[in-house]
Each structure stands twice: as structure tokens, then as C-alpha cells.
Amino acid sequence: LEDWLGETPPALPQLPAGPLSLAAALDYLNVVWRLTHDGERLFAFPSAERTTRLAFDVQTSEEFAAHLSAFADILREANRRVKAESQKKHRDRPLARIEADIAARSEVDAIARATKAVHMLELVIALRDSDQHGAATARAVAAFRELRIAYPPTDWNTSWRTLSAQAVDALNVIREELALVSESGAGDGS
């Protein structure tokens, strides 16, 4: 693109914050993923209703847990769809295949940024797992701390908005790094 235009392409715009920011970030990453992965989608949304609920505010711990569960399911399903194999198979790394795929396609200096973004998304899954499995509570406390959300949460809506904003940022980082791969023509996975 740069050779054709004779100039550096403009930076990707940041998505405006709002109730649909998380859904939009998922969609935009899906588009860039398709461009860099021979038309394959990263995300499949098996339940439009559950996905749509992510845009709603939460008032109770049950609603927070339902949002976490819906979002974690989207992320886990995406990881299952990725064909790359990871060297880091471990239950604390539920998105290791996504990370391995991005690393295989990206420039060395982009890998650290993308890895940090994938780690943030894995923290969401750790929070979801703690709600479902008591043994994961210690990981959840650490995840709340790393996400800068009070533990135990006292304001469920603020906690969800904080987590959602960080997830949007992480999804945007991954999108930006893959867009660079697409523009450079590098990282075709071969």
C-alpha cells in the first residue's frame, strides 16, 4: 500500500467508547483476521443474544458472571478455531493458540505487544473460571488486581466497564498488529 500511494498509510482509528465498543472491537478484529487468514473467521458468535448482552450494564454479581461467561466463551471458541499449535499448553494459557498464530505472523517487536494483549484477555477467562470453579479463586484475585478492579467488586457495573474497556484495548492491539502484517504482506503463516 505504501509503495502504491507513495506514503505511509494512516494509523488505524481508535474505536469510540460506548456500549457497543466490545462488540465492535470483536467485529473489527474478525475483519482483519479474515484478511490475514485466507478468509477464515476468528470469532463465531453462536448466540446473538448472549453476545448482544455484553453491551448492557450489569447491576449484580450474577449479571457480571453472565457477561464474563459469554465473553470467555467467545474467546475460548476462537482459540479452538485457530490452527496454530502452541508450545505453551497449560490451563493458565487458554488463548495460547491465538498467541502462537499472531507470533508466527508478526514482526519480532510486535510480538511483545500482542502477547500482552492476549494475556489481558486470558485474565477475563481466569475471572470467569473462578466463578465456575472454586480452585481458580487465587488466580481470580490476581486477575482482579492485574486488571485494576477492586476485589471483591463492590460496584459491578464499574467493574464490568473497566474490564470491558481493557478488553477493547487488547482486541484493538491485536487488530493493529495483524493489520500491519496485512499491509506488509508478511506473516502469511508459511
Side-chain angles (χ1 to χ4, degrees), residues 11-52:
L12 293 172
Q14 288 300 310
L15 300 174
L20 296 177
S21 295
L22 184 54
L26 290 165
D27 277 343
Y28 291 135
L29 175 53
N30 224 14
V31 168
V32 173
W33 190 274
R34 290 178 72 185
L35 292 172
T36 58
H37 291 78
D38 298 322
E40 295 287 325
R41 293 177 185 271
L42 176 60
F43 300 113
F45 303 103
S47 170
E49 181 182 0
R50 284 189 80 199
T51 305
T52 303

Side-chain angles (χ1 to χ4, degrees), residues 105-121:
R105 295 170 188 277
S106 299
E107 299 292 327
V108 173
D109 54 340
I111 294 172
R113 187 170 180 245
T115 296
K116 184 176 178 185
V118 169
H119 174 70
M120 185 277 140
L121 297 172

Side-chain angles (χ1 to χ4, degrees), residues 77-181:
E77 181 59 30
N79 194 64
R80 278 189 211 80
R81 296 168 64 89
V82 173
K83 294 177 177 94
E85 288 298 326
S86 170
Q87 302 297 328
K88 302 176 182 178
K89 290 186 179 182
H90 192 272
R91 88 169 165 232
D92 292 342
R93 299 301 325 278
L95 303 178
R97 294 176 89 177
I98 292 173
E99 182 182 321
D101 183 275
I102 296 165
R105 295 170 188 277
S106 299
E107 299 292 327
V108 173
D109 54 340
I111 294 172
R113 187 170 180 245
T115 296
K116 184 176 178 185
V118 169
H119 174 70
M120 185 277 140
L121 297 172
E122 289 177 330
L123 294 174
V124 173
I125 295 172
L127 294 180
R128 181 266 176 208
D129 288 351
S130 73
D131 191 56
Q132 304 292 320
H133 310 286
T137 302
R139 283 196 342 252
V141 172
F144 273 113
R145 184 178 311 118
E146 198 167 337
L147 292 166
R148 298 177 309 280
I149 299 173
Y151 180 82
T154 55
D155 180 340
W156 295 104
N157 197 45
T158 298
S159 297
W160 174 251
R161 285 182 180 197
T162 301
L163 182 144
S164 180
Q166 291 180 67
V168 167
D169 288 345
L171 292 165
N172 286 340
V173 164
I174 295 168
R175 174 180 58 98
E176 291 164 3
E177 296 306 335
L178 285 175
L180 292 174
V181 169

